[in-house]
């Protein structure tokens, strides 16, 4: 590694340095404004420096900064920026210090970015651990009973899934003799490989990754953690943590051709179908907005896996576009929950939203737009995303999966519309909707997200062009 | 000859099983240390003496020290001797002792008869470990430092006492 190799790492270094500066700042003087501004500035500077990275740069065997990695890091940084803005309002006036929140937020963003740029199991595992360890503390951040319970659940299950992942990595390394993704594919096709061992390794890695992505049958923790975590952290878990892992999964299985292993392909197809059905059917029974969104995110990851299973260049485009739409929508939906949440508890019961349109017409409209996008209704980004997934699936003749996807979209429509009906019903007697005034920054963020959502739904060409250019050089 | 490996592996499996099934945390801890020692021996047999030493220093050593600290902080006073006598019944220490003795005997056997180690095993020296860590894996080391930072900040925040409780540092 030379000094020249450091240049492409500047975005990651900016994030790391910002977190260290905030930590040192705490030692002298705690200042919410300073930490908050530094966090936002750090993320913004890192985002800008992404454009300074020219071409594809492999930095040691651990990280690669190609257009794909840069795009995903950009997406992750943008999402963290939104979460940082939302959480400053959310944590304001609570008894907890806010500075550590920013440190952990920056570090988990870094972990997720490292995942997006990983080409080696070492950076994959360390990135994942940075992400998870920061999330343990973030989920339990406000330290009420629900928080702590969610944090402990996540801690135990994430640690167990890391053990599976490590065991899988060890088996793959033992069989192929390398931990680099690019050399692994040639190691796999070499003579005298024990297929059983290899498939066991893949299965264990898939288990570890599946847990992080919260796909069925590894989804049990999702509703509890989503419900227990503070609303902005929930948004973070749903977007940044999953986005980084998915980016890595896609990169790994582009370099190691999954279609050569029918049983592996079958396993992922099973996970996709199981996630879609588990997510959508269980969401029907819920009365808590955060739990509904949790199950809906399980289903959405199932949709994403359909595109993931499709072959060719189309799948990168479909997955990336869908992830962008999913990020915007999820951040928007949890943003609304964050804005309405009081100091005592989060606004997560469906009754809290009854007649929201009468009190806060704009917020209700924004929330409806987000839910329409989740349901995949035209004019929203979610529709274009789903369209691409169906196109990618149909292009690879994955008819069964595509039919499952369509059936599930219909089921999903029911519970999204149920929330929307509640939004426009007669107001009930809820203390949450009577929150005095909405914070300005949060409102601006939500408006921006809605504009993006509609813009991508009506005029997606610029983003698709960008993704195409990215995949060309992949 | 793989017999030393299988003995150490069997000890590891047995002791780990005992860790999981013990009701008393301190008893589980004793078996956990045996489990870590056996893993260290496996590393040694596989030609990684440095990792074996680290395993003992960091895991077995650090856990032992923490254990001692907890005992020191919790059991000050005259009743502690009585408690110790009650704790130290043979059925508690016999199991870990037998397993540890087995490991010690095996280690001695391996050290005395060096040729037991298969010749095709490549022994990794501390120098090679250092070169790998600061060469191709330097980014991994840097990232691991950030991982520790995340753990530290998280533990600090979650373990911090409320101002209103009194006595705690804000």
């Amino acid at each position: 590694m030379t000094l020249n190799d450091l240049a492409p790492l500047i975005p990651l270094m900016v994030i790391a340095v910002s977190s260290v500066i905030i930590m040192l700042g705490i030692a002298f003087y705690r200042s919410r404004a300073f930490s908050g501004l530094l966090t936002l500035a750090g993320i913004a500077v890192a985002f800008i420096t992404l454009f300074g990275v020219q071409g594809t740069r492999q930095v040691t065997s651990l990280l690669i900064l190609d257009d794909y990695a840069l795009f995903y890091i950009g997406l992750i940084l943008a999402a963290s920026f939104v979460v940082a803005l939302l959480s400053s309002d959310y944590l304001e006036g609570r008894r907890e210090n806010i500075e550590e929140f920013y440190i952990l937020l920056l570090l988990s963003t870094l972990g997720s970015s490292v995942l997006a740029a990983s080409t080696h199991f070492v950076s994959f595992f360390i990135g994942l651990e940075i992400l998870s360890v920061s999330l343990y503390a973030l989920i339990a951040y406000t330290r009420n009973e629900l928080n702590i319970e969610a944090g402990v659940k996540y801690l135990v299950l994430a640690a167990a899934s890391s053990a599976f992942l490590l065991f899988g990595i060890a088996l793959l390394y033992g069989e192929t003799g390398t931990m680099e993704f690019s050399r692994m594919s040639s190691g796999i096709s070499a003579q005298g490989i024990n297929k059983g061992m290899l498939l066991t390794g893949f299965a264990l890695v898939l288990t570890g990754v599946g847990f992080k992505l919260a796909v069925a049958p590894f989804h049990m923790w999702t509703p509890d953690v989503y419900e227990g975590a503070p609303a902005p952290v929930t948004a973070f878990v749903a977007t940044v943590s999953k986005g980084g892992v998915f980016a890595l999964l896609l990169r790994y299985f582009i370099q190691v051709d999954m279609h050569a292993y029918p049983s592996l392909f079958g396993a992922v197809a099973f996970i996709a179908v199981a996630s879609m059905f588990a997510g959508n059917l269980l969401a029907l029974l819920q009365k808590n907005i955060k739990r509904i969104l949790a199950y809906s995110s399980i289903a959405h990851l199932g949709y994403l896996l359909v595109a993931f299973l499709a072959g060719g260049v189309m799948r990168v485009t479909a997955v990336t576009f869908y992830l962008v739409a999913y990020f915007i929508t999820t951040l928007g939906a949890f943003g609304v929950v964050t804005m309405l949440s009081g100091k005592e508890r989060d606004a997560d019961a469906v009754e809290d939203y009854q007649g929201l349109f009468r009190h806060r017409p704009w917020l209700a409209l924004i929330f409806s737009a987000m839910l329409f996008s989740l349901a995949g209704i035209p004019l929203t980004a979610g529709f274009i995303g789903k369209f691409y997934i169906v196109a990618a699936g149909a292009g690879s003749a994955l008819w069964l999966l595509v039919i499952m996807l369509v059936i599930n979209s219909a089921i999903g429509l029911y519970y999204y519309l149920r929330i929307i009906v509640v939004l426009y019903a007669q107001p009930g007697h809820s203390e949450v909707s009577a929150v005095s005034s909405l914070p300005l920054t949060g409102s601006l963020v939500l408006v921006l997200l809605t504009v993006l959502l509609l813009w991508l739904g009506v005029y997606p060409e610029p983003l698709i062009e960008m993704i195409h250019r990215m995949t060309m050089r992949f | 000859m793989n017999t030393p490996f299988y003995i150490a592996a069997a000890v590891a499996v047995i002791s780990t099983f005992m860790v999981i099934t013990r009701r008393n945390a301190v008893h589980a801890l004793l078996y956990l240390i045996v489990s870590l020692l056996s893993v260290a021996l496996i590393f040694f047999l596989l030609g990684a003496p440095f990792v074996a030493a680290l395993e003992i220093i960091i895991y077995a050593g650090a856990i032992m020290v923490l254990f001692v600290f907890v005992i020191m902080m919790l059991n000050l006073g005259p009743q502690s001797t009585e408690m110790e006598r009650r704790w130290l019944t043979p059925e508690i220490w016999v199991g870990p002792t037998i397993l540890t003795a087995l490991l010690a005997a095996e280690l001695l056997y391996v050290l005395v008869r060096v040729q037991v180690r298969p010749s095709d095993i490549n022994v990794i020296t501390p120098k090679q470990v250092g070169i790998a860590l600061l060469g191709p894996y330097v980014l991994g080391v840097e990232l691991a430092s950030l991982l520790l930072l995340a753990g530290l900040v998280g533990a600090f925040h979650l373990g911090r006492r409320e101002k209103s409780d009194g006595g705690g540092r804000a």
Side-chain angles (χ1 to χ4, degrees):
Chain A
M1 180 162 179
T2 61
L3 204 59
N4 198 24
D5 282 342
L6 283 179
L9 290 181
I10 288 175
L12 299 180
M13 290 192 310
V14 169
I15 297 286
V17 168
S18 322
S19 65
V20 173
I21 294 177
I22 296 178
M23 185 191 67
L24 294 178
I26 291 176
F28 296 103
Y29 179 64
R30 279 185 183 275
S31 159
R32 280 169 183 247
F34 171 73
S35 318
L37 283 177
L38 195 71
T39 307
L40 294 175
I43 297 174
V45 170
F47 191 85
I48 292 165
T49 50
L50 282 178
F51 295 96
V53 182
Q54 299 296 331
T56 298
R57 298 286 296 272
Q58 176 85 41
V59 185
T60 71
S61 58
L62 297 188
L63 297 178
I64 189 168
L65 283 121
D66 51 4
D67 287 354
Y68 176 83
L70 292 177
F71 183 89
Y72 273 95
I73 293 175
L75 190 61
I76 288 164
L77 289 177
S80 308
F81 193 82
V82 170
V83 172
L85 279 176
L86 289 173
S87 48
S88 66
D89 293 332
Y90 182 87
L91 290 169
E92 192 63 47
R94 283 174 199 254
R95 60 201 169 95
E96 300 296 337
N97 290 321
I98 198 171
E99 291 84 359
E100 286 90 346
F101 186 90
Y102 288 126
I103 301 179
L104 293 167
L105 190 76
L106 284 171
L107 286 173
S108 45
T109 306
L110 180 83
S112 194
S113 308
V114 167
L115 283 179
S118 285
T119 53
H120 197 289
F121 273 129
V122 168
S123 46
F124 169 23
F125 186 72
I126 298 179
L128 197 65
E129 285 299 297
I130 297 178
L131 179 63
S132 313
V133 169
S134 322
L135 279 180
Y136 303 151
L138 280 178
I139 288 170
Y141 198 82
T142 45
R143 298 198 291 178
N144 56 37
E145 259 172 52
L146 216 56
N147 270 180
I148 303 267
E149 183 195 329
V152 170
K153 264 184 191 154
Y154 192 74
L155 169 77
V156 172
L157 289 172
S161 81
S162 290
F164 276 101
L165 182 66
L166 266 185
F167 195 18
I169 292 174
L171 288 181
L172 287 180
Y173 177 63
E175 237 5 85
T176 61
T178 178
M179 287 200 273
E180 282 171 52
F181 296 170
S182 53
R183 285 172 53 195
M184 190 160 269
S185 50
S186 55
I188 284 169
S189 47
Q191 290 293 314
I193 281 276
N194 183 345
K195 281 244 170 173
M197 197 81 102
L198 211 58
L199 280 176
T200 316
F202 277 136
L204 288 170
V205 170
L206 211 57
T207 307
V209 170
F211 170 84
K212 290 286 164 200
L213 292 176
V215 286
F218 316 113
H219 65 283
M220 300 302 185
W221 59 276
T222 326
D224 292 341
V225 169
Y226 273 42
E227 188 189 357
V233 177
T234 314
F236 192 83
V237 174
T239 54
V240 174
S241 119
K242 290 185 187 177
V245 177
F246 210 93
L248 178 116
L249 193 68
L250 191 59
R251 184 195 289 282
Y252 181 72
F253 279 115
I254 282 173
Q255 298 201 316
V256 177
D257 188 18
M258 190 169 56
H259 293 77
Y261 296 92
S263 45
L264 192 63
F265 187 87
V268 178
F270 168 76
I271 290 177
V273 173
S275 307
M276 288 192 278
F277 275 106
N280 282 321
L281 291 178
L282 292 171
L284 291 175
L285 309 170
Q286 301 302 321
K287 290 193 168 57
N288 180 308
I289 294 268
K290 277 164 127 184
R291 290 182 86 89
I292 291 177
L293 289 173
Y295 282 115
S296 127
S297 83
I298 296 171
H300 279 276
L301 265 294
Y303 303 155
L304 262 174
L305 284 179
V306 173
F308 174 72
L309 285 169
V313 190
M314 188 69 170
R315 72 168 162 184
V316 184
T317 317
V319 165
T320 310
F321 191 91
Y322 199 85
L323 264 180
V324 174
Y326 170 80
F327 265 52
I328 297 173
T329 314
T330 309
L331 286 173
F334 282 112
V336 172
V337 176
T338 309
M339 299 275 281
L340 285 175
S341 294
K343 299 290 173 230
E344 298 305 315
R345 66 181 189 90
D346 284 358
D348 51 8
V350 173
E351 294 90 65
D352 293 339
Y353 294 81
Q354 198 170 344
L356 186 69
F357 184 67
R358 311 294 167 102
H359 311 289
R360 307 191 178 286
W362 285 107
L363 208 56
L365 283 175
I366 288 174
F367 201 30
S368 318
M370 297 301 163
L371 291 170
F372 278 133
S373 175
L374 281 173
I377 287 178
L379 291 184
T380 59
F383 170 72
I384 309 275
K386 213 167 254 179
F387 174 79
Y388 259 92
I389 286 189
V390 171
S396 301
L398 302 171
W399 295 112
L400 188 67
L401 286 173
V402 171
I403 290 168
M404 293 291 175
L405 194 154
V406 173
I407 293 174
N408 274 287
S409 301
I411 303 175
L413 204 56
Y414 174 74
Y415 60 85
Y416 294 126
L417 286 181
R418 208 182 60 185
I419 305 178
I420 291 176
V421 167
V422 170
L423 286 180
Y424 296 93
Q426 283 297 325
H429 303 286
S430 175
E431 77 279 16
V432 176
S433 46
V435 173
S436 51
S437 67
L438 294 178
L440 185 67
T441 45
S443 318
L444 283 177
V445 169
L446 284 183
V447 169
L448 188 72
L449 285 173
T450 315
V451 169
L452 263 177
L453 184 82
L454 295 175
W455 185 44
L456 286 182
V458 178
Y459 184 57
E461 278 86 355
L463 180 66
I464 289 171
E465 267 303 302
M466 203 169 147
I467 297 172
H468 269 307
R469 261 184 283 127
M470 169 190 103
T471 48
M472 293 278 259
R473 276 190 262 163
F474 193 55
Chain B
M1 274 297 281
N2 282 329
T3 320
F5 169 78
Y6 283 116
I7 294 173
V11 172
V13 171
I14 293 168
S15 53
T16 311
F17 180 76
M18 296 300 273
V19 174
I20 300 168
T21 51
R22 291 310 89 183
R23 289 267 179 80
N24 188 323
V26 179
H27 302 171
L29 203 66
L30 285 177
Y31 279 105
L32 181 63
I33 291 166
V34 179
S35 163
L36 295 168
L37 288 177
S38 54
V39 172
L41 186 58
I42 290 174
F43 274 126
F44 183 75
L45 291 172
L46 292 175
F50 184 61
V51 180
L54 284 185
E55 180 88 17
I56 289 178
I57 294 168
I58 296 171
Y59 285 95
I63 285 174
M64 278 298 264
V65 170
L66 278 182
F67 179 39
V68 170
F69 264 117
V70 170
I71 301 274
M72 273 164 54
M73 278 190 273
L74 293 184
N75 297 318
L76 286 177
Q79 74 271 38
S80 63
T81 346
E82 177 56 30
M83 193 178 276
E84 234 165 75
R85 192 171 301 128
R86 266 191 288 122
W87 277 3
L88 219 63
T89 51
E91 71 255 37
I92 289 155
W93 56 261
V94 158
T97 310
I98 291 174
L99 292 176
T100 319
L102 205 61
L103 289 178
E106 195 186 329
L107 183 65
L108 280 177
Y109 172 73
V110 172
L111 283 177
V112 171
R113 294 187 51 189
V114 185
Q115 67 274 24
V116 164
R117 205 181 287 155
S119 56
D120 59 324
I121 278 182
N122 183 16
V123 177
I124 307 291
T125 61
K127 189 178 174 187
Q128 281 167 289
V129 175
I131 288 172
L133 281 183
L134 291 180
Y137 293 109
V138 66
L139 278 178
V141 175
E142 296 300 325
L143 287 172
S145 71
L146 289 165
L147 172 61
L148 290 179
L149 176 65
L152 208 65
V153 172
F156 167 75
H157 174 74
L158 295 179
R160 197 174 51 87
R161 253 191 236 168
E162 296 301 325
K163 278 178 197 163
S164 52
D165 289 358
R169 201 174 57 88

